[in-house]
Amino acid sequence: MQLFHTIFAGFLRRNPAFSGLCGVLLVAITLIGSPARGADEPAPAAGLAVAPSAADAPKDVAPAEAPRPPGGAAVEMPQSPPMTPVPIGYIREVLDHPRPSSRMDIEPDDAGIAGAKMALDENNAGGQFTGDLYSLDAKTVASPNAAVEALQKFYDSGHHFIIVDASADTLLKLSDWAKGKDILLFNIRATDVSLRQENCRANVMHVVPDRYMLADALAQYLVIEKWTNWLLVHGTTPGDLAYVEAIRRAAGRFGANIVDQREYKDVSGGRRDDVGVIPPGKQASADEAFAAEPEYQVIIVADEDQLFGPYMPYRGGSEPRPVAGTTGLVATTWSPGHEKWGATQANNHFQKDYKRLMLPIDYQGYVAARTVGEAVTRNQGADFAMVAAFVHGDELQLAPFKGIKQQYRPWDGQLRQPLLIATDKVPVSMSPQRGFPHASHADIDMDTLGIDEPESKCKM
């Protein structure tokens, strides 16, 4: 059904004459179904005879029973339903970040927004029949206060569903301002675990996975492959350190061993030729003549800003090993190389419309906007409270190109979803992997990724 939506949306967008074609087909069917003329009846005049109006009907004959003109056909064209606007807001926060090691990691200006627009095409394909007209209004901001101002303007103009591409601090400010109002926020950027735990909010749905989910998905695959001894190399930013904590948790959960942990210190103004060398291991004791070099099977990199990680496979200066984590082999929501379950068609449509490859942030924007479309369609005429409750509930069924139905966890608002294990070119697997049991929801494999219900601290 998801693939049908994608193809049908693209067809309608590229074939505006489709409605007229439907009308012609209806006329042809009506003519074919008309009674045959007798041999002595005159041939019909060219064109279609229009049924007489109520004003022209005889006084003793009801308008609905007016006789059909000889040889003609009365055609009653279907009327389009009145369109109900469903505006969706989009708040994109742009902050200063260090320049990544490769310009290929710089996001385009429409990152995320393009994915939401692709979802709107699908929403409006169905909206032609249900009477819903979806639109997307985007606002770029540079601070949490500016984001709150944008949210207030959206709310004042009738926007109840807002996609948020922003930091955790900004998302919390937006959530606090929206408390008690008919607003539902969709987080597509912030991976902070605290947003699903002590700082969880009932008015925030998390499309993007948190760091625990990302680390768990990667760890499961590495353990299945029997790569269980890890060298962990990390940067010094708060995001890097948070990812380190997620990796250490995942190793403990699934049976891996971090044999050594090393910190990479980026020297501001340093030459690019110096970037990416693996830091040396801890020095051995004074009575040993060599530095400790433990055996490891894979290098896990924690470098969310992509400052040094992309160099790790090639400037390691040690034994060559696979590289995973935030670079190399990664856990992600989307890959341009994904081809199953309609993903090829989705990637092709996106590339044709937006002249570039679909990024994970685009996919997350797509899922957020499709969530709104699905919830509104399944609750025709319902008020905001009922639509929001449907998004939180277990009747919501999304199918965004990963082979299974997806919904949001009721205890923390996190989207249950498989995660691709992929290189920069191709997916190599999909997690959760088989064989990892969990304490609750044993029939839902997705709950082996991230925080399961019994361990959740979320109190919404």
Side-chain angles (χ1 to χ4, degrees):
M1 183 59 71
Q2 191 73 32
L3 176 58
F4 169 78
H5 271 288
T6 304
I7 297 173
F8 188 51
F11 178 78
L12 286 177
R13 189 169 64 254
R14 296 171 177 81
N15 297 271
F18 180 63
S19 298
L21 177 60
C22 290
V24 173
L25 291 174
L26 180 60
V27 170
I29 292 171
T30 305
L31 289 174
I32 293 172
S34 300
R37 290 183 293 109
D40 56 346
E41 291 184 25
L48 296 175
V50 180
S53 65
D56 297 331
K59 299 301 182 182
D60 57 344
V61 179
E65 299 174 357
R68 185 176 298 171
V75 178
E76 185 174 330
M77 299 299 292
Q79 298 297 314
S80 298
M83 303 302 285
T84 301
V86 185
I88 300 175
Y90 191 112
I91 296 176
R92 185 185 187 214
E93 182 182 41
V94 177
L95 302 175
D96 290 334
H97 289 287
R99 185 172 71 90
S101 58
S102 171
R103 65 186 300 169
M104 296 178 67
D105 288 322
I106 299 175
E107 291 184 348
D109 292 338
D110 64 345
I113 296 174
K117 287 181 176 179
M118 186 174 84
L120 250 66
D121 290 336
E122 296 185 24
N123 290 351
N124 281 322
Q128 295 189 43
F129 303 100
T130 61
D132 298 312
L133 181 60
Y134 297 84
S135 60
L136 184 73
D137 301 296
K139 178 68 174 178
T140 299
V141 300
S143 69
N145 290 337
V148 171
E149 292 176 5
L151 178 60
Q152 181 170 2
K153 291 179 180 179
F154 277 144
Y155 184 63
D156 291 342
S157 60
H159 295 68
H160 299 289
F161 306 102
I162 311 294
I163 301 172
V164 181
D165 179 357
S167 64
D169 290 342
T170 297
L171 180 64
L172 288 177
K173 285 184 177 293
L174 294 173
S175 173
D176 291 342
W177 186 90
K179 185 177 181 179
K181 301 178 178 67
D182 290 347
I183 295 177
L184 193 60
L185 306 173
F186 292 87
N187 169 30
I188 66 168
R189 174 72 68 173
T191 58
D192 303 62
V193 175
S194 63
L195 294 173
R196 289 82 167 168
Q197 291 294 289
E198 61 270 18
N199 290 326
C200 67
R201 301 287 192 273
N203 59 5
V204 179
M205 313 306 296
H206 302 284
V207 178
V208 62
D210 64 18
R211 291 186 179 96
Y212 281 3
M213 291 181 67
L214 295 169
D216 287 352
L218 180 64
Q220 286 187 9
Y221 177 73
L222 296 178
V223 170
I224 286 292
E225 292 296 309
K226 296 182 171 51
W227 295 342
T228 54
N229 292 333
W230 303 347
L231 168 64
L232 178 56
V233 181
H234 62 87
T236 58
T237 69
D240 294 344
L241 297 179
Y243 188 76
V244 166
E245 194 270 328
I247 286 293
R248 298 190 70 87
R249 172 183 177 272
R253 292 186 80 193
F254 302 114
N257 180 33
I258 298 177
V259 300
D260 197 6
Q261 179 173 327
R262 306 177 189 177
E263 181 180 291
Y264 181 89
K265 294 182 179 179
D266 183 40
V267 179
S268 179
R271 297 180 305 165
R272 282 290 170 192
D273 289 345
D274 297 331
V275 173
V277 177
I278 296 178
K282 298 177 181 178
Q283 293 298 317
S285 58
D287 59 347
E288 294 180 351
F290 56 89
E293 185 67 29
E295 288 292 327
Y296 53 88
Q297 296 157 317
V298 62
I299 303 170
I300 305 292
V301 174
D303 172 30
E304 293 193 342
D305 290 329
Q306 302 297 305
L307 300 178
F308 64 90
Y311 289 98
M312 284 288 103
Y314 313 106
R315 293 184 181 171
S318 184
E319 294 295 325
R321 293 291 185 268
V323 174
T326 59
T327 194
L329 189 67
V330 303
T332 181
T333 59
W334 192 253
S335 165
H338 183 34
E339 294 184 328
K340 296 182 179 179
W341 304 297
T344 297
Q345 289 80 357
N347 275 318
N348 288 344
H349 282 304
F350 186 93
Q351 188 169 5
K352 184 173 183 179
D353 289 344
Y354 301 103
K355 314 305 178 188
R356 62 177 179 82
L357 299 178
M358 190 193 307
L359 304 175
I361 189 65
D362 295 308
Y363 177 78
Q364 287 144 208
Y366 167 87
V367 173
R370 278 294 297 132
T371 299
V372 176
E374 181 69 13
V376 170
T377 299
R378 294 282 299 277
N379 295 272
Q380 279 297 302
D383 59 10
F384 169 83
M386 185 172 292
V387 174
F390 182 84
V391 173
H392 281 89
D394 58 5
E395 292 186 14
L396 175 70
Q397 298 289 324
L398 300 172
F401 317 113
K402 289 184 181 177
I404 67 168
K405 300 293 183 181
Q406 300 172 40
Q407 56 189 201
Y408 296 87
R409 289 171 176 161
W411 62 87
D412 61 5
Q414 175 67 60
L415 180 68
R416 286 180 171 124
Q417 59 177 313
L419 295 177
L420 300 175
I421 308 301
T423 69
D424 59 343
K425 296 186 181 297
V426 293
V428 298
S429 185
M430 181 176 285
S431 288
Q433 306 289 325
R434 293 182 179 180
F436 294 99
H438 47 89
S440 65
H441 307 96
D443 58 332
I444 304 178
D445 291 340
M446 297 303 106
D447 290 345
T448 63
L449 304 181
I451 300 170
D452 203 0
E453 187 171 15
E455 55 185 334
S456 176
K457 300 176 183 177
C458 179
K459 305 294 181 184
M460 290 193 293

